[in-house]
Amino acid sequence: VQLQASGGGLVQVGDSLRLSCTASVRTFSDYAVGWVRQAPGKERELVAAISRAGRRTSYGDSVKGRFTISRDNAKNTVYLEMRSLKPEDTAVYYCAARDRIVTGQLLTTTTQYENWGQGTLVTVSS
């Protein structure tokens, strides 16, 4: 599967932004998906995960209540709605996916993902 992340950019503190991740695959609903970010000099951090059908989601503590992950399997796309952005949200955001998992399972660590997109840069300016 090939993953294409988009939607990043330069925003101000408190702004909102929506990232998209589009997959080139026949059956996108076979894949659990996550958004992972990496800030300069820091380790990768899983910010949100969504199950194959989209019924279950999980969030990192640093983004709970501000970020929302969702998916549209008919469009082969997963979204990350980001609100109340902070300077510490500045990072390259990657979408990642993996198939061959049970329906409803969430992949909550970065090492569980097998397929990665190229990343999109989000910069939050104060």
Side-chain angles (χ1 to χ4, degrees):
V1 60
Q2 290 187 327
L3 302 169
Q4 180 75 37
S6 62
L10 174 64
V11 297
Q12 301 296 313
V13 169
D15 283 351
S16 299
L17 199 62
R18 187 177 80 162
L19 305 183
S20 299
C21 172
T22 302
S24 58
V25 66
R26 176 175 292 182
T27 312
F28 187 50
S29 59
D30 285 346
Y31 290 79
V33 179
W35 283 98
V36 176
R37 69 185 181 187
Q38 188 166 25
K42 295 189 177 180
E43 293 186 354
R44 287 184 173 181
E45 174 191 10
L46 182 72
V47 295
I50 191 165
S51 62
R52 289 169 51 185
R55 294 189 181 95
R56 298 187 66 210
T57 58
S58 177
Y59 298 92
D61 288 341
S62 62
V63 305
K64 280 181 181 176
R66 299 189 298 122
F67 289 13
T68 302
I69 189 171
S70 62
R71 67 189 295 163
D72 183 341
N73 284 340
K75 296 182 177 179
N76 282 17
T77 302
V78 170
Y79 304 98
L80 185 68
E81 296 275 359
M82 304 185 294
R83 299 179 298 276
S84 301
L85 284 162
K86 305 175 181 180
E88 51 263 43
D89 294 319
T90 295
V92 177
Y93 285 72
Y94 301 89
C95 57
R98 176 180 165 182
D99 65 347
R100 294 174 286 109
I101 61 168
V102 299
T103 303
Q105 183 179 358
L106 287 170
L107 305 181
T108 56
T109 63
T110 58
T111 55
Q112 291 177 294
Y113 292 93
E114 297 179 341
N115 308 100
W116 293 79
Q118 88 291 356
T120 186
L121 176 63
V122 173
T123 304
V124 184
S125 173
S126 56

